Amino acid sequence: MISRTRVEVIAALVLCVFCGIGWQQALLIRHPRLVEVSPGLFPMVCLAFVSICSVAYLIQAFSGTVRSEAEEGERGALWLLNPAICIVLFTGFILALPYLGILISGTAFMVLLFSFTGRRDAKGLITNFLVAFGCSATMWASMRWIFRVYIPSGSLTGF
Amino acid sequence: MLGQAVANLGETIPLFFTLNNMILISAGVLFGLFVGAIPGFSTSMALVLLLPFTFGINPINGLSLMIGVLIGSISGGLVTTNILGIASSSSSIPSLWDGHTLSKKGEGAYSVGIALWASFFGGMISWAVLVTFAPMIARIGLQFGPWDFFALMVFSLTIAASVSSGTMTKGLLATGLGLLVALVGRDPISGVNRFTFDIPFLTSGFEILVVLIGVFAFSQRLYDMQDRERTHRSMGGGSIRFEGIPHLRAVKTNLQNWPTLLRSSLIGVFIGVVPALGGNVSSILAYDQERKLARPEQKFGEGEPAGIIAPEAANNADAGGSLTVLMALGIPGDIVSVVLLAALTLHNVAPSPMFITDHPTIAYTIYISFLVASILMVFFQSITIRFFLLLRWVPDYLINLVLFLCAMGVFVWAGTFDSLWVLLLFGLFGYAMRSLGFPIAPFILGAVLAEPVEVNLVRSLSSSADVSLFFIRPWAMLFWVLTLYSLLFPLYHSMGRRWRIIQSLYYPSLGLLLSIPLFMMGSFGAAIAGLLFILVSVWGGYTAMQRQKAIQN
C-alpha cells in the first residue's frame, strides 16, 4: 500500500519527466521562413507554464502541503480491482472488434463486465445478457439503419 | 433591431416546427429525464455520449435534440431526489433537505410539483436573460480585437483553474495539460508538426471529442466502479404510493414565493455566466441565500417550499447563463457549453460575437429549443413520473454500459479502431486525474480553448509587434485585472485572522482597478459603470475597515 503523499510525489515526478520530454520535442519544432510568428512559440509558453506548475506541485508534494478533494484514506489493491478488470476487458473488446464485429464483441464485453462487477447468480447472468444484448443490438441497428454510419463487419462473423 | 429579431424568428419557426424536429426534441427531453434520474449519469455525460450521433443530422435537428437532453436531464433528478431522497447529482443535494423532508410528511407529489414548476420558471427567467442579453453582449464583443479575446480566454482558463475543486496548482496544471494535449499534431496556421514524435498517427492530433469522451465520461465510470459495494447497490426498494402532481397548488406556491424564484434564478444565471462554476454551486448558493433571508415562520430543512424552489430554479437558470456567454462570445462556461460548442463546430459553425448575426437560424433554434424543451419537460415529467420511479430498481453496475456507449460514440465519430485506443488512453488519463484530485473542467476547457487562444495570440503578434497592446487596451486590461484577481482568489479564501484587513480589501481593490479600464473605454455608459465601481469600492472598503476596527476593539 502506497501512502497518499508518496503517490503525489510520484505523480509530480512523472509530470516533470513529461515536461522534459515536451521541451525536447518543442525545441524540434521548425520555424518556416514565411511564417511571422514561430509555431513553437505558443507550445513553449504552455510548456513553461506546465513546467513551473509541475515544480510547484513537486515541492508541495514533498512538503506534504498539497491538498486534495479526492477521497482521502489508504485503500488496498481491491479498490483498483474493478477498474483493472474493466481496462483488461475493454482492451479485449478493441482487439476482438475487427474479428467479431460490434454486435458480438459488444455483447461479450458488457456481459463479462456486468458479471465481474455485479451479480453472478443465474438470474443476474440472464439479466446481464439481456441488457448487454439489448444495448448492443440497439446500437448496431441504429448505426446501420438510422444514423447510416459505416460499421465494419467482423471478419469471422460477417456482420 | 426588433424587426430583425422578428424576421429571424419568422425564418426559423417553419424550420423548427417540423414533425421530424418535434420527435427529436421530445426524444431528447425524454432521454434527458431518463438519464437525469439515474445517479452517476450526469447531464454532461449524456450530452457527450449523444454528440457523435448528431453528426449525420442537420444542425437544427442536432441542436434541438441536444437542448432537449440538456433541459430534460437538469430536471430529471427531481423525482428521485424528492421521493426517494437520493440526489442524482451534486446539484440536487440542496433539494433533498426540504424536498425529501416534505415528501416524508406524505406530500411527495406536492414536493415534486413545487420542484417541477420551480425548474420551469427558473428556466423561463434564464431564457428571457438569454434572449435579451446574448445579442447585447455580442454587440460589446464586436469591439474586441485579438488582444482582448486572448485576455478573455486566459481569464476563462484561470478562473476555471482557481474555482475548481482541488488545489490551485492542480487546477492550473490541468489547464496547462489540456492546452498541451490540443497542440499535438499539425499546426493549423503553418502546417508544421508539433509533439508528434515522428509517429504518423499523431500528425492529425487528438480529436477533441474523443479526448472529451475519454477524460469525462469513460474515466467517470472507471472512477465510480472502484467502490465494489456501491456497484451492487440499487437506489432502493419497497413500494411507493404516488398520486398525481397537484399542478395548480404547486404553481400557486411558486408564484407566492416569487421573490425566492426571481433571486434564485438570477443567482443561477450569474453562476452560469462565470466559467467553470456549475449547477451545484448555483443551487447551494441560492439555497444558502434564501435560508439567510428567511422569515421567522419559514423553517428551512423541515419541508419549506422556498427551500425546494431556490435550488431547483437556480439549477435550471444556470443553463441559460452559460448559453448566453457561449452564444455571445463563443466562450464555453462549463462542460455542458463545451459539448454544445463542439456540436456547433461539428456543423461548421464557430461561435463568436458574429454568431447571432451570421447564423440567425441556428441562434434562434437554440432560443426556441430552450423554450419548447422547458414546456415539454413539464409535460413529460408529469406523465412519466411513475415510470422513472421504477428506475430505483436498476443496480449501479448496469450503468457500466456507458463504457460501451463511449466506444460506440467514438467509433461513429472517428470511424477508426485507432480512436478506440485513444479513448482508452484518455480514459486512463482522466481516471488518474480524478484519483489524484485533479479537476477535470479546467483540462477540458484548456483542450477546447487551445486553438482559439493560439489563433488570437498569433493574430495579435502578426498585426503589431507592440506587446504592450495586450495590456493597455481597455477590454484586455479589464480581463487581465480579473485574471489576476481570480489567481489571487484561493489566497484570499485561505487567509487567516492575521490577514483579515488585507482580506477585507480584496473586493474594494478589485472594484477600483476595474474602474480604470472602464474610464478608458470613453463611452458614457462605461464611465458611469466605472464611477459606480469606485463608489461601491470606497464604501465597501470603508465599512470593511470599520468592521475590522470594531472587532479589534
Side-chain angles (χ1 to χ4, degrees):
Chain A
M1 206 181 286
I2 312 172
S3 74
R4 177 88 200 176
T5 313
R6 214 172 281 176
V7 172
E8 299 271 9
V9 171
I10 294 168
L13 286 171
V14 168
L15 277 169
C16 290
V17 172
F18 169 82
C19 288
I21 298 169
W23 277 111
Q24 184 264 332
Q25 281 290 306
L27 294 171
L28 293 176
I29 298 171
R30 283 189 304 114
H31 184 175
R33 213 181 295 166
L34 292 172
V35 178
E36 205 172 336
V37 180
S38 166
L41 175 72
F42 188 60
M44 284 187 194
V45 171
C46 294
L47 259 176
F49 176 70
V50 174
S51 305
I52 294 166
C53 290
S54 299
V55 173
Y57 178 37
L58 184 65
I59 295 167
Q60 285 180 339
F62 265 124
S63 60
T65 54
V66 67
R67 281 182 295 117
S68 175
E69 293 267 315
E71 288 165 47
E72 293 290 341
E74 308 291 322
R75 284 181 175 128
L78 210 60
W79 196 252
L80 296 172
L81 188 65
N82 273 353
I85 289 170
C86 175
I87 290 157
V88 171
L89 289 176
F90 194 79
T91 307
F93 164 66
I94 303 175
L95 291 172
L97 201 55
Y99 304 103
L100 300 177
I102 282 173
L103 194 61
I104 294 182
S105 56
T107 307
F109 164 66
M110 280 189 283
V111 168
L112 289 172
L113 183 63
F114 293 159
S115 306
F116 275 117
T117 57
R119 280 177 68 179
R120 281 189 286 270
D121 54 59
K123 197 179 162 191
L125 286 174
I126 293 169
T127 313
N128 295 349
F129 175 76
L130 289 176
V131 173
F133 184 74
C135 178
S136 202
T138 310
M139 290 305 291
W140 182 78
S142 55
M143 281 163 79
R144 185 149 285 198
W145 292 303
I146 298 175
F147 298 109
R148 298 189 186 278
V149 179
Y150 165 73
I151 23 172
S153 310
S155 60
L156 294 177
T157 55
F159 56 90
Chain B
M1 195 177 95
L2 191 67
Q4 186 62 48
V6 172
N8 290 337
L9 203 61
E11 201 181 317
T12 313
I13 283 175
L15 299 170
F16 184 88
F17 288 100
T18 60
L19 181 66
N20 201 8
N21 202 45
M22 291 317 290
I23 292 173
L24 276 170
I25 195 167
S26 304
V29 173
L30 272 171
F31 177 67
L33 288 170
F34 177 75
V35 296
I38 303 173
F41 214 130
S42 63
T43 303
S44 342
M45 204 190 266
L47 285 170
V48 165
L49 291 173
L50 192 75
L51 181 58
F53 301 102
T54 62
F55 181 53
I57 52 183
N58 73 47
I60 292 179
N61 291 348
L63 279 170
S64 303
L65 179 66
M66 296 203 65
I67 300 277
V69 175
L70 169 67
I71 301 295
S73 58
I74 294 173
S75 310
L78 58 89
V79 179
T80 48
T81 307
N82 285 277
I83 306 291
L84 302 173
I86 298 158
S88 55
S89 63
S90 51
S91 60
S92 309
I93 294 170
S95 311
L96 271 180
W97 301 326
D98 282 283
H100 187 54
T101 315
L102 191 61
S103 190
K104 280 196 283 190
K105 289 178 180 170
E107 293 265 39
Y110 177 50
S111 152
V112 170
I114 295 173
L116 180 64
W117 283 100
S119 298
F120 175 76
F121 289 127
M124 286 301 96
I125 291 169
S126 83
W127 178 79
V129 171
L130 172 71
V131 174
T132 317
F133 287 99
M136 283 164 71
I137 300 171
R139 270 199 300 279
I140 294 172
L142 289 174
Q143 299 169 16
F144 292 2
W147 304 270
D148 310 314
F149 269 116
F150 178 77
L152 172 62
M153 285 172 195
V154 171
F155 164 61
S156 301
L157 292 172
T158 50
I159 198 164
S162 62
V163 299
S164 302
S165 59
T167 62
M168 177 80 167
T169 318
K170 285 181 176 177
L172 291 173
L173 259 172
T175 309
L177 291 172
L179 289 166
L180 284 177
V181 161
L183 293 177
V184 173
R186 196 168 285 142
D187 171 31
I189 300 161
S190 64
V192 171
N193 284 342
R194 302 186 295 194
F195 303 117
T196 55
F197 298 88
D198 292 327
I199 301 169
F201 169 70
L202 290 178
T203 316
S204 51
F206 297 118
E207 285 280 0
I208 290 299
L209 188 68
V210 180
V211 175
L212 195 72
I213 295 177
V215 171
F216 194 72
F218 198 96
S219 72
Q220 178 71 63
R221 206 51 225 158
L222 279 181
Y223 190 76
D224 287 346
M225 69 167 69
Q226 289 180 128
D227 188 348
R228 289 169 67 79
E229 262 179 49
R230 177 189 159 157
T231 53
H232 285 78
R233 270 201 309 261
S234 60
M235 281 189 265
S239 63
I240 289 169
R241 227 185 93 248
F242 188 84
E243 64 278 26
I245 298 173
H247 286 286
L248 275 177
R249 192 176 160 211
V251 171
K252 205 174 150 192
T253 306
N254 267 281
L255 294 179
Q256 277 167 349
N257 287 282
W258 69 267
T260 300
L261 199 61
L262 192 65
R263 265 195 304 265
S264 306
S265 303
L266 292 178
I267 287 174
V269 170
F270 175 74
I271 296 294
V273 168
V274 180
L277 290 178
N280 50 343
V281 178
S282 61
S283 54
I284 289 171
L285 202 67
Y287 184 88
D288 186 51
Q289 195 60 32
E290 286 311 310
R291 206 166 46 113
K292 282 177 186 158
L293 294 169
R295 294 187 301 273
E297 69 270 19
Q298 286 181 307
K299 299 270 184 266
F300 274 74
E302 294 176 24
E304 168 58 41
I308 307 170
I309 294 169
E312 288 298 337
N315 193 13
N316 275 55
D318 181 86
S322 54
L323 271 178
T324 304
V325 185
L326 178 70
M327 289 180 70
L329 301 172
I331 307 287
D334 53 11
I335 294 175
V336 170
S337 315
V338 167
V339 185
L340 289 173
L341 177 76
L344 290 168
T345 317
L346 205 79
H347 295 287
N348 296 321
V349 178
S352 70
M354 297 297 289
F355 168 63
I356 300 170
T357 322
D358 288 353
H359 303 279
T361 324
I362 307 269
Y364 277 75
T365 296
I366 296 177
Y367 293 156
I368 303 172
S369 304
F370 199 100
L371 184 70
V372 173
S374 298
I375 297 165
L376 286 173
M377 180 272 290
V378 175
F379 173 69
F380 284 127
Q381 185 79 276
S382 308
I383 58 169
T384 56
I385 208 155
R386 283 185 182 86
F387 168 74
F388 288 128
L389 281 172
L390 294 176
L391 288 176
R392 72 185 187 278
W393 297 107
V394 177
D396 186 80
Y397 73 86
L398 285 181
I399 302 168
N400 289 341
L401 64 84
V402 163
L403 298 170
F404 176 70
L405 297 179
C406 288
M408 286 303 94
V410 164
F411 199 75
V412 168
W413 168 250
T416 60
F417 291 115
D418 289 341
S419 57
L420 294 175
W421 291 111
V422 177
L423 171 72
L424 182 60
L425 174 78
F426 280 99
L428 285 170
F429 179 71
Y431 173 66
M433 282 182 78
R434 286 178 197 275
S435 302
L436 287 163
F438 279 81
I440 299 291
F443 175 85
I444 289 174
L445 275 181
V448 170
L449 289 180
E451 194 182 323
V453 171
E454 185 177 14
V455 166
N456 282 297
L457 176 71
V458 172
R459 267 189 207 153
S460 314
L461 294 173
S462 305
S463 54
S464 169
D466 185 3
V467 184
S468 68
L469 287 173
F470 279 104
F471 306 100
I472 58 166
R473 285 173 61 92
W475 280 110
M477 188 190 279
L478 186 123
F479 294 130
W480 285 118
V481 169
L482 289 170
T483 303
L484 177 72
Y485 272 73
S486 71
L487 286 170
L488 292 174
F489 183 74
L491 196 69
Y492 153 79
H493 208 65
S494 60
M495 273 178 182
R497 274 189 176 181
R498 283 176 58 199
W499 302 97
R500 208 164 264 172
I501 291 187
I502 296 176
Q503 195 180 27
S504 63
L505 293 175
Y506 179 84
Y507 287 111
S509 60
L510 171 64
L512 283 176
L513 282 175
L514 284 178
S515 67
I516 300 170
L518 286 171
F519 281 118
M520 284 167 66
M521 283 173 197
S523 72
F524 180 70
I528 293 288
L531 201 64
L532 274 173
F533 268 115
I534 290 178
L535 289 173
V536 172
S537 304
V538 170
W539 177 74
Y542 176 75
T543 48
M545 297 294 274
Q546 290 297 318
R547 210 179 305 133
Q548 288 307 316
K549 272 185 192 166
I551 292 168
Q552 279 170 1
N553 292 333

